[in-house]
Amino acid sequence: MATATAVRAFVVVLLSLITAATFAGSALAQEPTPPPAPAPATSSDSPGATPAAPPADAVNVSGSLNNAGDRLVGVDVVAVDGSGAEVARTTSETGGRWTLPVSPGDYTFRIDPETLPDGVSVQGDVQRTVVEGRANTVIFSFGEARTATVVPFYEQFLRTTIDGLRFGLVIALAAIGLSLIFGTTGLTNFAHGELVTLGAVAAWIFNVTFGIQLIPATILAVIVGVAVGWLNNVGLWKPLRRRKTGLIGQLVVSIGLAIALRYLILIFFSDRSEPFADYQAQQQREWGPFAITDVNLACIVISVVVLVLVALMLQKTRIGKAMRAVADNRDLAASSGINVERVVTFVWCMGGGLAALGGVLFGLSELGGRVQWEMGFKLLLLMFAGITLGGLGTAYGALLGCVIVGLLVQWSTLVINPDLKYIGGLLVLIVILIVRPQGILGSRQRIG
């Protein structure tokens, strides 16, 4: 009995061990459960989410955050599609510049108010249709939104008068060279408008392409204008004078040169208005009934200073007196020992530099800080109207006539559509040629 009991106990223990080993082997043979697959990356509407990769058909939308001259750095700009979902986000960098790659379509661009500096507010969102192959620029307005108010007529007249003085001084700055060239050579240079455009384009290249601040870029553009004026005279007009080409022939050559330069600028520059990198979105300052932006005020000051320096040069320096002598009587000046060709070369260089400076100021003050390929052509007829009104061949006549033309052009906006304001300058040119063709300060004929 004891032996049978021991045998049964041994059998039970053995069976238990076999069963335990079987279940343990089955458990060890099972494959481990794989971890859950990571969720696919999707764009998130939260500010801290990692941005999705740019789409394959991405078009860059860019801009510059400028709060009254203060460049905003570290501010988030967001693009929202039609469904209200955020599709792209970026942060403004040095100079307030930002760029967002988005697919073509309609978007709402907004600034994250949490990232704005203290005391700075944005007026609202900007709706924009993004199109491939076009400059897609978004400009935000900062500060309190202005409501429409009725401005009394006398305030409108005063502000328009200031604009007229500013515009007239810019025209005079560009036209003095044209008047002096006519006075010393008798040439009516229709290519002078392209010298204005070349100056503005040169400043734009130095400012935007090479990243040079606009003030030194303008100085470099004036140097380029001086060089272009010198090349004009040495390469074209001096040989024509040596061949004793008539003034009508030279006039036709100047028209052809103007057309050639205009379309060369179109080919190598752009057919669209291109903005300068600096002094955009200027805030208007008001002193009672007077209102003017810092850029327009600077244009007035620069124009006055340069014109005063030109007047002092004409009155006090030897080259200025020689220029007036050549303009009055070329043969008598030559017989008096004046090097006429040297004087003419100086006039061409000075005219090219002043035209370049006038082009930059014209783009800043009249075209909203932009450069256009035909801006000089638009200004050319107003320059002719101004120097004809003041008196052909006289620097002071050009100054007086251009200021009057600028005032008439701006005053005309009080009664006609501003898009038609240049018509007033052309009407002045027609009337003056009929009533007093010699101009205000001109004489009917030269003596000697």
Side-chain angles (χ1 to χ4, degrees):
M1 291 295 294
T3 302
T5 302
V7 170
R8 286 196 297 270
F10 175 77
V11 171
V12 171
V13 171
L14 181 62
L15 290 176
S16 300
L17 292 174
I18 292 174
T19 301
T22 301
F23 281 106
S26 300
L28 292 173
Q30 290 180 356
E31 295 183 358
T33 303
T42 58
S43 61
S44 174
D45 293 342
S46 60
T50 302
D57 58 346
V59 176
N60 284 336
V61 181
S62 60
S64 178
L65 304 184
N66 187 345
N67 178 31
D70 183 18
R71 303 289 179 167
L72 303 180
V73 180
V75 176
D76 286 358
V77 180
V78 181
V80 178
D81 61 15
S83 65
E86 178 182 322
V87 296
R89 173 184 288 261
T90 189
T91 302
S92 61
E93 299 176 350
T94 303
R97 296 183 178 88
W98 57 270
T99 302
L100 275 178
V102 296
S103 299
D106 296 329
Y107 295 93
T108 299
F109 295 89
R110 61 172 59 114
I111 289 180
D112 187 350
E114 299 295 331
T115 61
L116 285 172
D118 294 338
V120 178
S121 61
V122 64
Q123 292 186 10
D125 302 337
V126 178
Q127 308 286 336
R128 182 72 73 246
T129 299
V130 178
V131 180
E132 185 177 1
R134 182 187 300 173
N136 298 285
T137 305
V138 174
I139 298 176
F140 292 98
S141 298
F142 296 91
E144 297 296 331
R146 297 184 178 181
T147 58
T149 58
V150 178
V151 179
F153 178 79
Y154 80 94
E155 288 192 13
Q156 295 181 26
F157 182 79
L158 288 175
R159 295 179 182 183
T160 305
T161 301
I162 294 175
D163 284 341
L165 288 173
R166 182 261 311 159
F167 190 36
L169 290 171
V170 171
I171 298 174
L173 194 63
I176 282 182
L178 178 61
S179 182
L180 290 176
I181 289 170
F182 176 83
T184 54
T185 65
L187 170 65
T188 304
N189 183 23
F190 275 85
H192 196 77
E194 275 52 57
L195 296 181
V196 174
T197 307
L198 283 172
V201 170
W204 182 88
I205 292 173
F206 288 127
N207 179 232
V208 176
T209 305
F210 295 104
I212 302 174
Q213 205 272 339
L214 187 56
I215 294 177
T218 301
I219 296 174
L220 294 174
V222 171
I223 297 174
V224 171
V226 171
V228 172
W230 180 82
L231 288 173
N232 260 279
N233 179 61
V234 173
L236 183 61
W237 304 113
K238 188 175 181 178
L240 290 177
R241 289 195 301 272
R242 285 179 176 174
R243 296 185 180 210
K244 298 189 181 302
T245 304
L247 292 177
I248 298 299
Q250 294 185 40
L251 171 64
V252 174
V253 171
S254 74
I255 295 174
L257 178 62
I259 295 173
L261 289 176
R262 192 179 313 145
Y263 286 99
L264 282 174
I265 294 171
L266 172 62
I267 292 172
F268 292 103
F269 175 59
S270 175
D271 60 341
R272 298 189 298 265
S273 298
E274 298 292 344
F276 290 116
D278 301 320
Y279 306 115
Q280 297 290 320
Q282 288 288 306
Q283 183 177 9
Q284 194 173 53
R285 301 184 182 277
E286 298 183 2
W287 296 279
F290 300 98
I292 191 171
T293 63
D294 292 338
V295 163
N296 287 341
L297 182 60
C299 289
I300 292 175
V301 173
I302 293 172
S303 300
V304 170
V305 170
V306 173
L307 291 171
V308 169
L309 291 177
V310 171
L312 292 175
M313 184 269 297
L314 290 173
Q315 293 292 335
K316 303 296 183 181
T317 64
R318 292 183 60 186
I319 186 64
K321 294 176 181 178
M323 289 165 57
R324 290 191 289 123
V326 172
D328 185 65
N329 193 312
R330 182 187 181 96
D331 296 332
L332 183 58
S335 63
S336 301
I338 296 175
N339 189 331
V340 174
E341 281 300 326
R342 183 177 298 174
V343 171
V344 171
T345 300
F346 182 84
V347 167
W348 271 100
C349 292
M350 187 181 72
L354 292 176
L357 178 59
V360 176
L361 298 184
F362 179 61
L364 281 174
S365 63
E366 189 69 16
L367 302 180
R370 294 177 175 271
V371 178
Q372 299 175 354
W373 68 278
E374 56 178 355
M375 57 188 292
F377 177 68
K378 294 178 180 179
L379 197 62
L380 180 65
L381 294 178
L382 295 179
M383 289 191 288
F384 274 123
I387 63 177
T388 303
L389 175 60
L392 285 171
T394 63
Y396 300 115
L399 171 59
L400 177 61
C402 289
V403 169
I404 294 175
V405 168
L407 287 171
L408 292 176
V409 166
Q410 296 297 336
W411 282 339
S412 66
T413 60
L414 297 174
V415 294
I416 65 174
N417 191 319
D419 294 335
L420 305 176
K421 64 182 181 180
Y422 292 158
I423 294 178
L426 304 181
L427 292 177
V428 170
L429 178 61
I430 295 172
V431 171
I432 289 300
L433 289 175
I434 294 174
V435 177
R436 187 178 172 84
Q438 73 272 20
I440 298 174
L441 300 183
S443 58
R444 290 187 177 276
Q445 61 181 0
R446 290 185 177 180
I447 308 299

